[in-house]
Amino acid sequence: MLFKPEQTGAATDAPTTPPARKRRRVVPLLVTLLILGGLGYLGWSAFQSKQPARTGRFQMPMSATVPVLAATPRIQDVPVFLDGVGTVRALNTVTVRAQVDGKLVSVKFIEGQDVKAGDVLAEIDPAIYQAQYDQAVAKKAQDEAQLANARIDLVRYQQLAAANAGSKQQADTQKATVAQLEALVRSDQAAIDTARTTLDYTKIVAPLSGRAGLRQIDQGNIIRASDATGLVVITQLQPIAVQFSLPQQQIVRVNAAFAKGPLTVEVYGNDGRTIVDTGTLKGVDNQVDSTTGTVKLKAEFPNAGHQLWPGQFVSVRLKVETLNQALVIPTSAVQRGPAGTFSYVIGEGDIVHARPITVTLQDEKDAVIAKGLDASDRVVTTGFANLADGAKVAVGSGDQTITPDLAPRKRERGGAKGEKGEKGQRGQGQAWQGQKGQGQDSQGSQGQGERPGGRKGRAGDAAPAQDGGKAQ
């Protein structure tokens, strides 16, 4: 009986011990969950606050006005050209050689000098050839004297024969002698002409007008007619020819245009834009090169300014026809999509609509439109970066020029590591603090650098400029 109260107290305390231990375990777990939940909420809130800023850097709301430049189609005559490449060739090239052997006593031209046909270029020692000429002249004089005496004798013998005082045979023989001497005199004249020609060969003259090249032999040397190099090479530069090639698919088109009249050919300079000279097509080769699938054509140019030089590689375009009263728009207005070519046409309320077009001819500047546009339409030429079908645009004046940034800007990314290095306003395109080797220009555009955290930023990530109105 004395121990019953203790047993009763022990019995009543026993069932209360386990709940107390459970409470001590649950409380730390609840605190941990609350801390993790709070941290997760803070992270989610920070991510959501960053999301509009990131989206705003790369996408323009549809309700915003897009700045663009526009142009109106033009009606004009458009020439059609075929482009090719070719080589400049001289119309005539002559290697001037000596026609007689001898010592070169004088050179009368300067290397690179323009010479005319008949100009004396050099002289060979004429002493031997002058003596041969004098000898031929003397021989003719001798034979002429004999001929004169024979003719006198012939007259005498003929008179004697007529009076029966002399033999008729003797008169006939003398007549034959006179004929022989006349032939000998003619032979002497031929020898004189040969000697005179040989003597003239001692003066080396230019056979055509052109530009003299480098001298191949110096004064004082023995020059021979058999020398392969000759004295100098003369090249005709005015006019000059260009030989170029076109694909074999254009043969029919070129021949049809060539049959109607002369075709104009233009040669471009080294920049590929400046027209150096304009000439005419002279001929088309009679066969196709089977190895390249091209046909050769030859054109002739005046080359008044000596801008074309033999051996020069040039770009050529051949005019084959002219499109009369064609609809022309700037090439920049032609866009391409999965369904083909189209242009953004500005309608009422400055709302743009994509309209499919058919392009007949296009070059670097203009495009000829077969259908899809009218002369009264306005097409967008610049500012396509944020442009979409149905967008509202603000059309700038013709003297405005939309210039892109010199370098793309870095894209911002959310996260604690990316925010540690950020400095300044986002709209100004300021550089990240702590980036390695990244430069910034006067417009706030940035080059490629290294992000905090060891990742490199991409050159294509960009932030909009402060005015927000520049087109890509």
Side-chain angles (χ1 to χ4, degrees):
M1 298 299 291
L2 295 176
F3 293 100
K4 287 181 180 180
E6 295 179 0
Q7 293 176 357
T8 304
T12 57
D13 292 340
T16 61
T17 302
R21 292 178 179 177
K22 290 181 179 180
R23 286 195 298 271
R24 287 195 296 270
R25 295 176 181 177
V26 170
V27 171
L29 181 61
L30 292 176
V31 172
T32 302
L33 292 176
L34 289 174
I35 293 174
L36 293 177
L39 293 176
Y41 177 77
L42 292 176
W44 180 82
S45 299
F47 177 79
Q48 292 297 325
S49 63
K50 291 292 183 181
Q51 191 68 19
R54 291 178 56 193
T55 304
R57 284 181 176 267
F58 303 98
Q59 298 179 359
M60 180 171 290
M62 294 301 295
S63 59
T65 301
V66 181
V68 297
L69 295 180
T72 303
R74 310 184 307 273
I75 302 296
Q76 65 183 40
D77 295 339
V78 179
V80 180
F81 293 95
L82 299 179
D83 295 331
V85 292
T87 305
V88 180
R89 297 179 179 271
L91 285 181
N92 296 290
T93 301
V94 177
T95 300
V96 181
R97 295 185 176 91
Q99 294 178 276
V100 294
D101 299 345
K103 181 180 180 182
L104 190 65
V105 295
S106 65
V107 176
K108 299 183 179 298
F109 71 94
I110 301 175
E111 295 173 327
Q113 174 186 351
D114 288 329
V115 297
K116 295 182 179 180
D119 289 349
V120 178
L121 303 179
E123 289 186 2
I124 300 173
D125 187 3
I128 297 177
Y129 304 102
Q130 181 68 46
Q132 293 175 353
Y133 173 77
D134 294 341
Q135 184 179 3
V137 172
K139 180 65 169 58
K140 179 183 178 182
Q142 179 182 1
D143 293 339
E144 284 179 342
Q146 292 180 359
L147 176 61
N149 183 49
R151 285 174 177 172
I152 295 173
D153 290 343
L154 176 60
V155 173
R156 183 180 301 115
Y157 291 150
Q158 287 177 345
Q159 291 175 353
L160 292 175
N164 293 323
S167 168
K168 186 177 180 182
Q169 180 181 2
Q170 187 177 10
D172 293 339
T173 303
Q174 187 63 29
K175 184 178 180 181
T177 303
V178 170
Q180 291 177 358
L181 292 175
E182 288 177 348
L184 185 58
V185 169
R186 289 195 295 270
S187 176
D188 293 338
Q189 182 61 45
I192 292 174
D193 295 338
T194 302
R196 181 184 293 112
T197 302
T198 305
L199 179 61
D200 292 339
Y201 285 161
T202 59
K203 293 184 178 180
I204 304 175
V205 298
L208 54 81
S209 299
R211 179 68 61 91
L214 301 180
R215 187 174 64 249
Q216 302 298 320
I217 187 171
D218 296 329
Q219 179 178 341
N221 288 283
I222 301 298
I223 188 170
R224 302 182 184 278
S226 59
D227 291 342
T229 57
L231 174 65
V232 67
V233 176
I234 298 179
T235 303
Q236 183 179 355
L237 301 179
Q238 294 178 332
I240 203 167
V242 173
Q243 182 176 307
F244 61 100
S245 301
L246 290 178
Q248 62 181 3
Q249 292 80 2
Q250 303 293 345
I251 296 177
V252 177
R253 191 175 187 182
V254 171
N255 288 334
F258 197 24
K260 298 178 182 178
L263 299 182
T264 302
V265 184
E266 296 176 348
V267 173
Y268 286 97
N270 295 330
D271 57 359
R273 298 181 179 180
T274 305
I275 297 177
V276 174
D277 206 350
T278 302
T280 57
L281 183 66
K282 291 300 181 181
V284 181
D285 198 6
N286 57 4
Q287 60 183 352
V288 176
D289 188 348
S290 59
T291 59
T292 60
T294 59
V295 62
K296 297 178 181 179
L297 300 92
K298 187 176 182 180
E300 188 174 311
F301 298 85
N303 198 25
H306 290 114
Q307 298 190 28
L308 299 178
W309 213 252
Q312 181 181 359
F313 184 79
V314 293
S315 298
V316 181
R317 67 176 187 177
L318 172 66
K319 181 181 177 182
V320 292
E321 62 177 319
T322 300
L323 301 178
N324 298 320
Q325 299 299 303
L327 185 69
V328 181
I329 64 174
T331 300
S332 59
V334 179
Q335 301 295 304
R336 286 173 171 78
T341 56
F342 67 94
S343 288
Y344 286 107
V345 180
I346 303 175
E348 297 182 359
D350 289 339
I351 303 298
V352 296
H353 299 282
R355 185 182 300 178
I357 59 175
T358 302
V359 180
T360 302
L361 181 67
Q362 182 176 344
D363 58 16
E364 296 179 355
K365 296 181 179 179
D366 297 323
V368 178
I369 306 302
K371 61 180 181 178
L373 295 177
D374 297 326
S376 59
D377 292 331
R378 288 190 304 166
V379 292
V380 177
T381 59
T382 306
F384 301 100
N386 299 311
L387 197 60
D389 192 10
K392 184 178 180 60
V393 297
V395 182
S397 59
D399 57 352
Q400 292 180 349
T401 302
I402 299 179
T403 57
D405 292 334
L406 295 179
R409 300 194 181 105
K410 174 125 6 220
R411 174 188 293 182
E412 293 184 5
R413 295 184 180 273
K417 292 183 179 181
E419 294 177 357
K420 289 181 181 180
E422 187 174 4
K423 179 182 179 182
Q425 300 178 357
R426 296 176 181 172
Q428 299 294 335
Q430 300 293 334
W432 286 78
Q433 222 176 18
Q435 293 179 352
K436 299 178 181 180
Q438 179 169 335
Q440 177 178 349
D441 61 15
S442 60
Q443 295 182 353
S445 58
Q446 301 176 9
Q448 182 175 352
E450 185 177 348
R451 277 190 176 277
R455 295 186 62 188
K456 293 186 178 181
R458 291 178 296 178
D461 299 340
Q466 183 176 2
D467 55 5
K470 295 183 178 180
Q472 299 297 325

